[in-house]
Amino acid sequence: MTTRNHLTSAQIDHYRSGLASAEQAAHIEAHLKNCPQCQQELQFGQQLSQLLAPLPQLAARLPRRSSRSVRWPRVFAAGMATASLALAVFISVPHLAGNIAGSNGAYPGGFDSQSLSPQVADAVQNIEFYQWLSNHPQMLQQGLQNGNPA
């Protein structure tokens, strides 16, 4: 029943909770009279039980969470907002694309290709290459190492 002449934590907890038989309880009490280490463990368990005793009452005071029901007005409003935004984008994108690809090379905002600096005009004309290059920075570094600026 003892390990190295000491009670195990399980034995002490069994005794403290009143689940030990009369024979086991008598043996544990006899051991506790002569063993300060096991007495400390018993006291620690008692203190811990006292400190944790209010938790069930505190948990009972907490408000119960009700199951979340779907709030149809909010779902409907979110769906309508999403549909409105999609419709606005669907209508405005072709209009914007027409402005970008105008017949005289004009860009939105009142700029035309003649008034742009050569660097900006090159960037606009080769935007797909610069986008690819931004996704592949190692290619830029290789070009710079070889003396070939992008």
Side-chain angles (χ1 to χ4, degrees):
M1 183 174 220
T2 60
T3 306
R4 295 186 198 159
N5 297 332
H6 289 292
L7 299 171
T8 63
S9 297
Q11 291 171 327
I12 292 172
D13 289 340
H14 201 68
Y15 168 74
R16 185 181 44 78
S17 63
L19 298 175
S21 66
E23 192 176 300
Q24 292 171 335
H27 179 74
I28 291 172
E29 287 172 359
H31 179 82
L32 287 171
K33 287 181 184 176
N34 300 324
C35 183
Q37 182 179 348
C38 290
Q39 288 173 4
Q40 286 178 348
E41 191 166 343
L42 177 67
Q43 289 173 355
F44 174 76
Q46 290 170 338
Q47 290 173 349
L48 186 62
S49 293
Q50 289 173 354
L51 292 173
L52 295 177
L55 287 182
Q57 290 111 12
L58 292 174
R61 290 182 191 174
L62 292 175
R64 299 278 181 215
R65 288 187 180 183
S66 62
S67 61
R68 293 194 71 153
S69 61
V70 177
R71 292 173 177 86
W72 288 107
R74 288 184 184 176
V75 171
F76 182 73
M80 291 302 292
T82 304
S84 300
L85 182 61
L87 183 63
V89 169
F90 182 74
I91 291 171
S92 63
V93 167
H95 177 68
L96 291 175
N99 286 345
I100 291 173
S103 60
N104 62 354
Y107 294 97
F111 296 110
D112 63 81
S113 58
Q114 307 302 325
S115 66
L116 297 176
S117 68
Q119 292 86 4
V120 174
D122 177 61
V124 170
Q125 289 175 353
N126 299 310
I127 191 69
E128 291 174 354
F129 168 73
Y130 290 115
Q131 287 174 339
W132 177 86
L133 193 59
S134 69
N135 292 329
H136 300 86
Q138 70 276 8
M139 299 303 287
L140 177 63
Q141 290 179 353
Q142 288 176 359
L144 292 175
Q145 290 173 354
N146 296 335
N148 183 13

